[in-house]
Amino acid sequence: MDGPLPSLCMTNMSVPVNQGGTQARIPIYPRSVKGRFRRLKWAILVIAYGTYFMLPWLQWERSGAASQALLFDITSRRFYLFDLVVHPSEIFWLAGFLVIAALLLFFVTGIAGRVFCGYFCFQTLWTDVFIKIERLVQGERPARIRLDKSGWTADKLFKKGLTHVLWLSVALLTGITFVLYWGYAPELVVQLFTGQAPFAAYATTLFLTATTYVMAGLAREQVCTYMCPYARFQSAMFDKDTLIVAYDRQRGESQLGRNKLVKGLKQQQQRHQAGYGDCVDCGFCVQVCPTGIDIRDGLQIQCISCALCIDACDNIMDSLGWPRGLIKYDSERHQEGSKPRLFKAKNIGYAVTLLLATVLLVWSVITSSTLDVAVQQVRQPLYVVLSDGQIQNSYMLKLNNKQKVPLSLDISVQGLDDAVLDLGRVRHIEIGADQSLQVRLRVRMPRDTGQTQIPFAFVIDADGVEQPLSVPAFFSMPR
Amino acid sequence: MSENKKTGHAVQTTGHAWDGDIQEYNNPIPRWWLWSFYATVVFSIIYWVLYPAWPIGHSYTTGVLNNITYTVNGEEKTTHWNTRARLVRDMQTGEDAVKQRRHMQEVANASFSAILSDPKMIDFSSKIGKVLFTDNCAACHGMGGQGVVGLFPSLVDDDWLWGGRTENIRETIASGRIGFMPAFGKTFSDQQMDDVVEYVLSLSNQAEDQPRVQRGKQLFGGEQGGCYYCHNQEGTGIQSQGAANLTDQIWTIVDVAGQKDIEGKRALVREVVSKGVNRSMPNWKGRLSDEEIKLLTVYVYNLSGGK
């Protein structure tokens, strides 16, 4: 605080007290801007939208299941990703994928700041599209401000109405497309419009339509500022070497601060001599900001690193014929005049764990078997003495056929002398395509007092599997 | 957000000052937050109307538009929304319940021999059978069916007092069994008792005194002992009587196999012969449906492989 505040009697406050106890949103009217970062962002948006909206329609030949390249089939508990079929038993892949995504976020954020927020986050992408719609219908920033301030005329009603209708259409398309990932798209889309789709499909569509409309249309930057947890913890990954959208205070303010392009201060030379910086205080950088901040105040939690202020400032500098870079991607350390350090424990640590996690996941996916086999010895009781004095052990064999064809199995015992495998009246074990089965196996052999635990193996020879699988087990003997 | 350095103006305060100069910043919550809070209030009011919510004395508000219909003893019953009724309804008409009943019907219509040669049907029967076994049988026969020597027969070995074929097992579960052997303590003299005991041990090759065995054999197969009525001349037992096979290594009443020396074995066998046996198993016909008994039979049969 700059000085002692007036004490006790506060009737003549210079700042009005907010009586309501809550703060209404201060509306933001982002001005459109052209530039290299804007172009990059549109390119990313086109790729992202193209992927999101077209992927459910991509067909992929596949036997025994719907021919949709990407299909998350909840009812039959299978995820189809092109030629990969993910079973519930492989749910840890999802965990692995999320770990990789998190590490990638940490790694990139540590080096280049909130790249995800500014370029890839769906909140940013959808808000961009919604602002674009707003501008096409209602006009540029001043026109929008005027429209909001004016009374309710037919023109305003039409423009506002059209904006919301278009927003809702995009939101609805977004909602429907999301649902199409969870069912066979060509059929599901027909079901959706003929009232035959499952309740969950309608509920999800409605929910996503509503959230898209509210988040991208109405809440916008408030999502990033108040709701998003990533925005908060990304700042924990920042350090002095992290790239941030930075205002070159030294160049912009010089000794006396910024000043408008008034008479006598129109040339860079004149300004420098007078002690003013290069910032002409045009306010363009503030007007284009989708979160409504002034980047010249320094790094702020609201900043999503979208770089639109860089484009704005570059445009102004270009038109003045002054060098670009008054606002640019820079690190605090570089601004202070030293060289930023990228090879440090934090970055290398993230990179190594990221690489490790990726290699592990890929390895796990590549080596996943087509037949899961698990053997568990029945422990109650561990062994049974039979009437002829032989010893019998029982085992539960769990089989999970992940192939699209039925499997026929031969089971034998290896490593036990004189052992007999008893399958009762079962002559032939067959598991249907994509099914699982539990079989009780009984193994008996003459009493051998030498060992109480004899290691051996079940050998499972399936006609679809190249090598017989060997599953280790123990045979228990009485003492 | 304490201060905007550039413009120098301070954040609003609440307008109070304590001890002269202590003031409180006013950083109001966003308005959308307040509206979200109101929305949750509205949600809860709608919830109170639709679902059971408020206690009134010994009763409560039941909610509207949310009735659940299910069948009790052939009659349709409609109640207000509650999870118990939902469970009952789901067990009757739910997707999984219908699927399970279809499998049940398949197994019910199949013969034992068809079930037992199809791993899929065994798997299904065993899963339900295990639940039935745990609820009805495990209290005496143990979780794994291992039994308790002297009290409850083991179901995991290949020795069956009442027969180990599926039909025998089904009959045992459905009708129960009474296992009885009279006490011979007063029938035999001490000398005769020693002889019979030695003969019984000889049936499973555990005897050591041949003259006693010879005398015991006369008593066992003769009219004074009359053991052969139930246990057969060869001592192999008669399953329709529940009479044990004395020629194998399995002892269900006393743990003869667990005794190291001959005297211990003799003492245990003497105890059984002189005191007799009286065991019973209740019937499950009224408690389980025919289909359930069938599934349980498959489960028990598959524990040991039957006989």
Side-chain angles (χ1 to χ4, degrees):
Chain A
M1 231 158 287
D2 284 330
L5 283 157
S7 60
L8 293 174
C9 181
M10 308 268 293
T11 45
N12 289 322
M13 290 273 301
S14 57
V15 181
V17 172
N18 188 312
Q19 297 294 345
T22 57
Q23 175 73 60
R25 177 185 178 228
I26 300 157
I28 295 167
Y29 303 91
R31 187 187 276 277
S32 66
V33 61
K34 288 191 169 73
R36 52 199 170 124
F37 288 111
R38 181 66 270 183
R39 272 202 302 282
L40 176 63
K41 278 162 65 73
W42 283 130
I44 290 171
L45 191 139
V46 166
I47 293 168
Y49 267 51
T51 311
Y52 176 74
F53 286 101
M54 299 316 291
L55 210 49
W57 300 98
L58 185 61
Q59 299 293 298
W60 198 264
E61 273 316 311
R62 175 183 296 131
S63 67
S67 56
Q68 186 167 319
L70 214 66
L71 179 63
F72 303 113
D73 191 344
I74 296 283
T75 38
S76 65
R77 299 179 206 175
R78 298 284 181 273
F79 286 0
Y80 301 99
L81 315 164
F82 299 94
D83 273 340
L84 182 67
V85 183
V86 183
H87 292 71
S89 51
E90 284 132 5
I91 195 66
F92 64 92
W93 286 351
L94 179 66
F97 176 74
L98 291 176
V99 165
I100 289 168
L103 285 170
L104 187 65
L105 181 76
F106 300 163
F107 177 65
V108 171
T109 305
I111 290 172
R114 288 169 66 174
V115 173
F116 174 73
C117 298
Y119 296 85
F120 300 100
C121 178
F122 39 83
Q123 175 66 23
T124 302
L125 294 176
W126 262 258
T127 304
D128 262 6
V129 167
F130 275 44
I131 291 175
K132 181 88 173 169
I133 291 171
E134 196 175 59
R135 190 176 69 82
L136 288 175
V137 176
Q138 301 176 18
E140 191 53 90
R141 173 183 152 94
R144 297 211 298 273
I145 296 175
R146 256 198 322 277
L147 192 68
D148 268 8
K149 283 198 176 138
S150 73
W152 281 99
T153 59
D155 179 54
K156 178 169 177 175
L157 203 64
F158 170 74
K159 282 180 173 169
K160 284 282 177 187
L162 184 61
T163 309
H164 284 270
V165 166
L166 288 173
W167 282 356
L168 276 168
S169 314
V170 175
L172 184 65
L173 266 177
T174 307
I176 288 174
T177 303
F178 182 80
V179 167
L180 296 184
Y181 283 91
W182 309 83
Y184 184 54
E187 280 170 20
L188 188 55
V189 83
V190 174
Q191 287 174 349
L192 272 173
F193 286 103
T194 51
Q196 291 166 321
F199 171 75
Y202 288 111
T204 311
T205 307
L206 193 72
F207 180 76
L208 260 120
T209 306
T211 48
T212 307
Y213 172 72
V214 171
M215 300 300 168
L218 310 177
R220 290 191 182 169
E221 82 290 343
Q222 298 179 97
V223 175
C224 314
T225 318
Y226 295 112
M227 299 180 196
C228 182
Y230 301 102
R232 283 291 182 279
F233 76 63
Q234 278 186 83
S235 49
M237 277 109 217
F238 276 45
D239 56 29
K240 284 193 149 190
D241 302 305
T242 303
L243 278 184
I244 54 173
V245 175
Y247 169 62
D248 190 343
R249 180 170 290 274
Q250 191 57 43
R251 182 184 154 195
E253 309 281 320
S254 199
Q255 289 107 44
L256 293 176
R258 62 189 79 140
N259 206 329
K260 296 220 180 287
L261 275 179
V262 290
K263 203 169 175 214
L265 291 176
K266 292 204 170 163
Q267 300 302 316
Q268 215 175 2
Q269 199 70 32
Q270 297 170 321
R271 294 174 75 91
H272 289 179
Q273 276 165 6
Y276 291 107
D278 278 356
C279 176
V280 297
D281 208 9
C282 63
F284 197 19
C285 57
V286 180
Q287 289 178 13
V288 299
C289 180
T291 69
I293 56 167
D294 186 345
I295 197 65
R296 295 170 300 178
D297 293 341
L299 180 64
Q300 291 149 76
I301 55 161
Q302 290 95 331
C303 178
I304 57 169
S305 285
C306 71
L308 291 182
C309 52
I310 300 181
D311 276 345
C313 196
D314 282 352
N315 286 348
I316 299 298
M317 290 298 122
D318 287 354
S319 64
L320 290 169
W322 301 351
R324 288 178 167 190
L326 185 54
I327 302 174
K328 64 182 174 196
Y329 273 114
D330 206 351
S331 66
E332 268 186 57
R333 182 146 1 239
H334 188 251
Q335 279 194 313
E336 285 165 5
S338 358
K339 220 172 156 258
R341 294 185 300 126
L342 287 180
F343 291 97
K344 53 181 154 190
K346 184 180 84 172
N347 292 346
I348 294 167
Y350 280 145
V352 169
T353 31
L354 178 62
L355 201 70
L356 206 68
T358 313
V359 167
L360 274 175
L361 179 64
V362 170
W363 177 78
S364 174
V365 171
I366 288 174
T367 58
S368 66
S369 62
T370 48
L371 175 69
D372 282 344
V373 182
V375 167
Q376 197 181 20
Q377 189 179 0
V378 173
R379 304 180 67 84
Q380 274 184 323
L382 274 172
Y383 59 82
V384 178
V385 182
L386 297 178
S387 52
D388 59 359
Q390 286 202 88
I391 307 300
Q392 177 168 289
N393 280 206
S394 297
Y395 303 84
M396 287 310 292
L397 175 69
K398 293 182 183 182
L399 299 159
N400 184 13
N401 177 14
K402 298 197 279 188
Q403 288 185 341
K404 286 286 165 204
V405 287
L407 270 186
S408 188
L409 300 175
D410 271 330
I411 303 175
S412 55
V413 168
Q414 195 178 60
L416 281 185
D417 298 332
D418 309 321
V420 175
L421 176 68
D422 175 23
L423 291 172
R425 298 183 207 177
V426 175
R427 291 280 156 268
H428 179 69
I429 293 180
E430 196 183 271
I431 327 171
D434 217 3
Q435 299 223 318
S436 58
L437 187 69
Q438 282 194 36
V439 184
R440 194 178 175 108
L441 306 171
R442 292 174 293 268
V443 179
R444 64 179 72 105
M445 64 183 284
R447 190 164 182 157
D448 166 12
T449 45
Q451 254 179 305
T452 51
Q453 291 279 65
I454 308 166
F456 71 103
F458 286 105
V459 178
I460 291 145
D461 199 356
D463 45 26
V465 179
E466 289 126 38
Q467 270 187 331
L469 292 164
S470 178
V471 189
F474 280 96
F475 190 94
S476 297
M477 279 285 182
R479 270 175 212 288
Chain B
M1 274 186 267
S2 63
E3 224 172 329
N4 191 323
K5 286 192 189 95
K6 188 167 60 62
T7 48
H9 68 75
V11 173
Q12 297 172 9
T13 68
T14 52
H16 307 288
W18 291 270
D19 290 348
D21 59 351
I22 298 176
Q23 298 190 29
E24 193 183 356
Y25 284 132
N26 181 20
N27 280 322
I29 51 171
R31 193 156 288 161
W32 62 261
W33 191 95
L34 190 71
W35 284 109
S36 313
F37 175 67
Y38 291 152
T40 61
V41 173
V42 172
F43 174 85
S44 65
I45 292 168
I46 295 170
Y47 185 92
W48 295 342
V49 175
L50 293 178
Y51 290 91
W54 286 100
I56 307 167
H58 290 297
S59 180
Y60 50 87
T61 60
T62 55
V64 295
L65 297 176
N66 235 332
N67 289 333
I68 291 175
T69 305
Y70 58 97
T71 322
V72 193
N73 302 326
E75 269 178 63
E76 269 204 358
K77 200 180 165 189
T78 301
T79 69
H80 65 81
W81 189 93
N82 67 85
T83 45
R84 182 177 287 253
R86 246 180 71 150
L87 175 69
V88 174
R89 185 194 61 188
D90 287 353
M91 294 296 283
Q92 288 173 351
T93 52
E95 196 183 323
D96 290 336
V98 169
K99 203 162 140 192
Q100 194 188 57
R101 266 205 296 283
R102 203 178 63 229
H103 282 298
M104 272 286 240
Q105 208 51 52
E106 252 172 54
V107 172
N109 291 339
S111 69
F112 276 120
S113 123
I115 297 170
L116 286 166
S117 38
D118 180 357
K120 253 170 78 178
M121 282 217 239
I122 296 177
D123 191 13
F124 172 76
S125 312
S126 298
K127 273 171 185 151
I128 294 189
K130 191 187 170 99
V131 176
L132 293 169
F133 188 87
T134 309
D135 287 351
N136 296 282
C137 317
C140 294
H141 290 287
M143 271 303 289
Q146 68 271 40
V148 179
V149 171
L151 297 171
F152 314 109
S154 163
L155 306 175
V156 289
D157 59 27
D158 60 343
D159 188 32
W160 296 85
L161 290 168
W162 299 93
R165 295 197 311 278
T166 46
E167 197 37 55
N168 304 134
I169 296 172
R170 201 200 60 76
E171 180 62 23
T172 303
I173 299 170
S175 310
R177 296 291 186 188
I178 295 172
F180 176 72
M181 169 178 150
F184 288 86
K186 300 225 165 103
T187 312
F188 295 136
S189 67
D190 281 358
Q191 158 85 52
Q192 286 173 321
M193 184 63 80
D194 286 346
D195 296 344
V196 170
V197 166
E198 202 66 13
Y199 176 66
V200 170
L201 284 171
S202 78
L203 291 170
S204 50
N205 299 321
Q206 299 185 71
E208 288 183 0
D209 190 330
Q210 278 312 312
R212 278 191 190 180
V213 170
Q214 290 310 319
R215 290 196 297 272
K217 186 174 182 180
Q218 301 304 318
L219 289 162
F220 190 92
E223 293 310 313
Q224 195 191 352
C227 309
Y228 73 94
Y229 287 149
C230 297
H231 287 291
N232 232 340
Q233 280 294 359
E234 292 79 31
T236 51
I238 300 173
Q239 290 188 337
S240 65
Q241 310 298 310
N245 180 353
L246 303 174
T247 62
D248 63 21
Q249 301 297 319
I250 292 171
W251 300 78
T252 69
I253 307 295
V254 283
D255 188 16
V256 173
Q259 292 296 318
K260 290 269 176 282
D261 60 298
I262 186 73
E263 277 313 319
K265 290 178 183 185
R266 282 171 180 159
L268 288 177
V269 176
R270 182 181 292 118
E271 194 185 317
V272 178
V273 178
S274 49
K275 291 183 181 165
V277 177
N278 197 350
R279 299 197 294 187
S280 69
M281 170 175 150
N283 71 69
W284 254 264
K285 202 178 275 167
R287 284 176 268 194
L288 297 178
S289 70
D290 287 352
E291 289 84 18
E292 287 172 322
I293 289 175
K294 193 167 186 179
L295 295 175
L296 198 49
T297 302
V298 172
Y299 179 76
V300 170
Y301 181 94
N302 204 40
L303 283 176
S304 66
K307 204 166 192 186

